[in-house]
Amino acid sequence: MVVAIAGAHGKIATRLTALLVAGGDSVIGLVRNPDHAPDVSRQGGAPVVCDLEHATVDEVSAAIAGADAVVFASGR
């Protein structure tokens, strides 16, 4: 399964990413800050920079393309 996680740099999302990857799933990790991408990668996720506060519907759609599920874990 491919799971997209919005707010992938947060504490809950970081833990969820590790659990999903350990279970054999793939994670698309949406982050607002490009500096956070390496942290998502270290957990086994594929980081995608997408600021949900400013992104268009098409940009969000492209960011989560291929996902079977989406988790909103952003704290903002």
Side-chain angles (χ1 to χ4, degrees):
M1 176 181 287
V2 178
V3 180
I5 303 176
H9 189 255
K11 290 180 182 181
I12 291 171
T14 299
R15 179 72 176 130
L16 179 58
T17 297
L19 289 169
L20 288 167
V21 169
D25 296 306
S26 298
V27 173
I28 301 168
L30 277 62
V31 293
R32 176 173 41 112
N33 183 339
D35 293 339
H36 295 162
D39 295 329
V40 174
S41 293
R42 274 192 286 282
Q43 293 299 321
V48 174
V49 177
C50 183
D51 183 346
L52 296 178
E53 291 186 72
H54 300 101
T56 66
V57 171
D58 289 338
E59 290 169 332
V60 174
S61 179
I64 64 171
D68 299 303
V70 179
V71 176
F72 186 83
S74 179
R76 288 193 89 166

